[in-house]
Amino acid sequence: MIPILLQLLLFLITPSNGSPAEVRLLNDLMSGYVREERPILDSSKPVKVMLGVFLQQIINLSEKEEQLEVNAWLKFSWRDENLRWEPTAYENVTDLRHPPDALWTPDILLYNSVDSEFDSSYKVNLVNYHTGYINWMPPGIFKVSCKLDIYWFPFDEQICYFKFGSWTYTRDKIELEKGDFDFSEFIPNGEWIIIGNRTNITVKQYECCPEQYEDITFTLHLRRRTLYYSFNLIAPVLLTMILVILGFTVSPETCEKVGLQISVSLAICIFLTIMSELTPQTSEAVPLLGVFFHTCNFISVLATSFTVYVQSFHFRNQHVHERMGFWMRFILLEWSPWLLRMKMPDRDNNIQTLKDSWKERNRRESMARTAFEYADGPVTQIHSMGIMLKENFEELIYQVKQEKKADDKGVERLRVLQKIYDHVKMIREHDDDNDEDSRVALEWRFAAIVVDRLCLLAFSILIVIVSIVIAWRAPYLFA
């Protein structure tokens, strides 16, 4: 038992190397290596660094904060002249792994980063090949600022970019080369699709320094998928606008007519609030969806105003309002009903009646008891009988007065007839007043129905036109 323990203790104390050749190679390479020194033989020449990006996933594009967050791998490649060897001298070892703080690395940073740590990449090992080439692929979650154009929201396309460059090395010290902008491992995003990308290198001289600095920019052209917004925002608003149209079919007798229109306006305001939470607080542009919602809200408020106007028409009568004038009567009670194929009760409405009304447009309204002549049978007969009785009685009185010798009995009979005539006249005038009141109220109620029908057609056409115009202005509808 004791010999076994001694062997185990010796094994733990004695240092063990997995590959003596790699240890020897590593000691030879790092002997005298200075990580702050640029790895090039001629100091007048720049170190050529190739930078590529392997995009893995679009995590989020925040419209509110105007920030794009992605998961990506960066691929740096350069040649370190101090880290070359002959593989045959080291048992055919062709590559080594170094920690990132052991070798010289370019201080390339993401210029437009908005991450709290600024450089959010994970410092992985560097792969060193026997030719001196170094491959370094640090992954990370990168968050960059992205100026958004919300004018076409949610049918919008956005352009975001990743700008990389050396923070201290000028162009004559580090020369950047374009690497791959790779999407082979890209996981599709549910809100955005990539429709284009490009890579370009620019040279810029900043005000802080007289030297020129080089940067490389990877640009993404994104297009928003519209299904979510069409299903959850646009479709509910369009369905809500149908209630605006149906509100004009509700009878003015009910008190829910105005309440329905007000409810529609409040519902659209809720959708406006949801949209404002999705878009940044900017005054540079109004999103297309906001224009659509505000237009629907304006239509809803206008429909509410017309509904109140219809209600005021419906409850008018002779006691609280005068009879409508010629032009209002001609438009609302004759021309519009004829155009809409609506029939007024107890009255014909055709081309001939329109012509007759136009010919009599200059007739004084005070000479007519009612606005129109109604073909309602009994009322017309009673009115005609009253006129005949008046004419015959007045003629009889006139003839009797012409006679100089009238007996007392005839005079007494005439007095009785006079009382009967006065009583019948009072009844007829009372019936005429009642008939006038009912006719005026009927005309206002029918005018309210006509205005409702006109609003039904006008707002239906308006909503369809607005929807078509908004859809036509959008750069695309499905993505």
Side-chain angles (χ1 to χ4, degrees), residues 324-344 347-361 363 365 371-374 443 446-447 450-451 454:
M324 62 183 69
F326 168 76
W327 285 107
M328 181 179 289
R329 187 172 67 247
F330 184 75
I331 295 175
L332 295 182
L333 301 184
E334 297 189 77
W335 184 78
S336 295
W338 174 79
L339 186 64
L340 298 173
R341 296 296 185 265
M342 298 175 64
K343 181 174 176 56
M344 189 173 182
R347 184 179 180 275
D348 296 330
N349 189 20
N350 48 45
I351 295 293
Q352 186 60 41
T353 57
L354 290 175
K355 292 180 180 180
D356 294 340
S357 297
W358 182 256
K359 291 178 182 179
E360 298 179 0
R361 63 185 182 277
R363 183 167 58 92
E365 297 294 336
F372 301 107
E373 296 294 337
Y374 293 91
E443 290 172 4
F446 187 73
V450 172
V451 173
L454 289 173

Side-chain angles (χ1 to χ4, degrees), residues 94 103 271:
T94 58
L103 303 181
F271 286 106

Side-chain angles (χ1 to χ4, degrees), residues 70-74 120-122 138-142:
V70 300
N71 178 13
W73 303 345
L74 305 181
S120 58
S121 60
Y122 183 75
I141 306 296
F142 301 95

Side-chain angles (χ1 to χ4, degrees), residues 233-430:
L233 290 177
I234 299 176
V237 171
L238 288 176
L239 294 176
T240 305
M241 293 305 294
I242 295 178
L243 297 179
V244 173
I245 301 174
L246 295 179
F248 292 109
T249 63
V250 179
S251 174
E253 294 286 347
T254 179
C255 298
E256 297 297 327
K257 191 176 180 67
V258 178
L260 176 61
Q261 302 290 5
I262 295 176
S263 299
V264 172
S265 299
L266 295 177
I268 297 176
C269 290
I270 294 175
F271 286 106
L272 274 171
T273 304
I274 296 175
M275 190 209 64
S276 65
E277 294 177 353
L278 297 175
T279 55
Q281 298 177 359
T282 177
S283 299
E284 296 178 353
V286 177
L288 184 66
L289 185 62
V291 174
F292 174 67
F293 284 172
H294 277 289
T295 304
C296 291
N297 195 23
F298 173 77
I299 293 174
S300 177
V301 172
L302 192 63
T304 305
S305 303
F306 274 98
T307 302
V308 174
Y309 191 59
V310 168
Q311 292 288 90
S312 68
F313 266 29
H314 181 77
F315 292 103
R316 287 183 183 182
N317 53 55
Q318 182 71 10
H319 301 289
V320 298
H321 204 276
E322 296 180 356
R323 191 175 65 235
M324 62 183 69
F326 168 76
W327 285 107
M328 181 179 289
R329 187 172 67 247
F330 184 75
I331 295 175
L332 295 182
L333 301 184
E334 297 189 77
W335 184 78
S336 295
W338 174 79
L339 186 64
L340 298 173
R341 296 296 185 265
M342 298 175 64
K343 181 174 176 56
M344 189 173 182
D346 301 328
R347 184 179 180 275
D348 296 330
N349 189 20
N350 48 45
I351 295 293
Q352 186 60 41
T353 57
L354 290 175
K355 292 180 180 180
D356 294 340
S357 297
W358 182 256
K359 291 178 182 179
E360 298 179 0
R361 63 185 182 277
N362 294 325
R363 183 167 58 92
R364 296 179 60 183
E365 297 294 336
S366 59
M367 300 299 295
R369 289 286 295 170
T370 56
F372 301 107
E373 296 294 337
Y374 293 91
D376 52 358
V379 175
T380 303
Q381 294 178 4
I382 293 174
H383 186 70
S384 301
M385 289 175 60
I387 295 176
M388 292 175 58
L389 178 61
K390 176 181 178 182
E391 293 176 351
N392 293 333
F393 185 76
E394 290 179 350
E395 183 180 356
L396 177 61
I397 295 296
Y398 177 76
Q399 292 177 0
V400 172
K401 289 182 178 180
Q402 295 297 324
E403 296 180 0
K404 295 182 179 179
K405 295 180 180 180
D407 54 353
D408 295 338
K409 292 183 179 181
V411 173
E412 186 65 26
R413 291 173 181 173
L414 290 175
R415 291 175 179 173
V416 173
L417 290 175
Q418 180 69 37
K419 293 180 180 181
I420 295 174
Y421 170 73
D422 292 339
H423 185 68
V424 172
K425 180 180 178 181
M426 181 184 65
I427 295 175
R428 186 177 66 84
E429 290 179 351
H430 184 268

